[in-house]
Amino acid sequence: MKSALSDFVWEKKGIYGILHVVILLMSLFLVISISIDTFKGIPFYTQTSYMKVQLWICIWFLFDFVLEFFLAQHKWRYLRSHFIFLLVAIPYQNIIAYYGWTFSPEITYMLRFIPLLRGGYALAIVVGWLTHNRASSLFVSYLTMLLATVYFSSLAFFVLEHKVNSLVVRYGDALWWAFMDVTTVGSNIIAVTVTGRVLSVVLAALGMMMFPIFTVYVTNLIQRSNDQKNKYYQQQTTQQEPVVPQR
């Protein structure tokens, strides 16, 4: 499996494959770190070790952007289409700490998710590589991004709401809220904070956009399966037809 993955990433995708895999691994490290801090109630806005780690990861993201820019055949087209990745690679938390600016703990927590947008793009690309069909690749990428958005929204909702919302006691309550909100079914948990309400609207809108894609994908699979069955039956019928001898 290791040699197959190496052949797939290195020989078929080249330096871009290596860069995206490294970005994905770094982003997963940030996700694990944020999750552990959230579950254990660690005061994330006072951690200097995480700030250093995030700084070096953002520097790597900037290096990746510059390298891909110079490797791109059409540089200005790459700059226009990937400029958002330059913005999300900036270490905002380190800049804020350097100048001594102060924000609320909730805003500081939300800023930690900005570099993960770059990792989300890499995740969609890597997941797309692992699927053979273009429709399947698009569907799996969308589904992966949807689940990641639900998870990050539940983490942020838990941090924002559990101190002021009596219905959010454990992280499981926030996760339940996120899944029910993205399916547009709704739950008994109502957001109290402004950011929580914004997340409610964003998740509901995302669910309305994403679930039709799921329906179209399933319909496409059923239609493709029926076409294959009809083709198979036609071949069997053609083979079983008696050959009338010519006189």
Side-chain angles (χ1 to χ4, degrees):
M1 180 177 180
K2 183 178 179 181
S3 60
L5 181 61
S6 175
D7 174 76
F8 182 79
V9 173
W10 177 249
E11 295 186 9
K12 295 185 179 181
K13 301 300 177 182
I15 187 64
Y16 296 101
I18 299 298
L19 291 174
H20 284 121
V21 170
V22 173
I23 288 173
L24 178 59
L25 294 176
M26 289 184 172
S27 301
L28 289 176
F29 177 81
L30 289 178
V31 171
I32 294 173
S33 177
I34 293 174
S35 301
I36 292 175
D37 293 353
T38 303
F39 298 150
K40 292 186 176 182
I42 300 175
F44 44 84
Y45 46 88
T46 61
Q47 290 190 73
T48 57
S49 59
Y50 178 85
M51 298 283 286
K52 293 179 180 179
V53 171
Q54 189 184 59
L55 174 62
W56 284 107
I57 290 179
C58 288
I59 291 176
W60 172 263
F61 288 174
L62 291 172
F63 167 76
D64 167 73
F65 178 86
V66 173
L67 181 60
E68 290 191 12
F69 173 76
F70 282 107
L71 292 177
Q73 188 174 4
H74 304 283
K75 292 181 172 52
W76 288 113
R77 182 185 303 174
Y78 175 86
L79 184 61
R80 290 194 302 268
S81 60
H82 293 75
F83 184 71
I84 183 66
F85 300 138
L86 174 62
L87 296 180
V88 300
I90 298 174
Y92 294 102
Q93 282 190 309
N94 300 89
I95 296 175
I96 292 173
Y98 177 79
Y99 285 102
W101 298 334
T102 56
F103 294 95
S104 65
E106 289 77 13
I107 294 179
T108 304
Y109 182 79
M110 298 296 291
L111 289 174
R112 300 179 69 176
F113 290 95
I114 293 180
L116 294 178
L117 297 176
R118 182 66 181 91
Y121 177 73
L123 177 62
I125 292 178
V126 173
V127 170
W129 291 344
L130 301 178
T131 54
H132 303 286
N133 184 273
R134 183 176 180 180
S136 300
S137 173
L138 182 62
F139 171 73
V140 173
S141 298
Y142 276 136
L143 182 61
T144 304
M145 296 301 295
L146 176 63
L147 294 176
T149 303
V150 169
Y151 179 67
F152 296 145
S153 298
S154 66
L155 288 177
F157 188 81
F158 175 70
V159 170
L160 296 170
E161 295 279 336
H162 82 282
K163 293 181 180 180
V164 296
N165 195 333
S166 59
L167 297 176
V168 183
V169 181
R170 297 176 297 273
Y171 168 71
D173 299 328
L175 187 62
W176 167 260
W177 163 85
F179 273 108
M180 289 298 99
D181 201 59
V182 78
T183 57
T184 67
V185 175
S187 67
N188 62 325
I189 300 175
I190 301 177
V192 176
T193 62
V194 176
T195 308
R197 293 173 182 174
V198 172
L199 289 175
S200 300
V201 175
V202 170
L203 279 182
L206 183 63
M208 288 188 291
M209 290 186 296
M210 296 297 293
F211 280 99
I213 296 177
F214 176 77
T215 304
V216 171
Y217 178 74
V218 173
T219 304
N220 185 35
L221 286 180
I222 296 175
Q223 183 177 1
R224 190 185 310 167
S225 177
N226 292 333
D227 292 341
Q228 292 178 352
K229 289 181 180 179
N230 293 334
K231 185 177 180 180
Y232 172 76
Y233 291 144
Q234 289 177 0
Q235 291 177 351
Q236 293 295 323
T237 303
T238 304
Q239 294 176 358
Q240 293 177 1
E241 288 181 353
V243 179
V244 179
Q246 298 180 355
R247 296 181 180 181

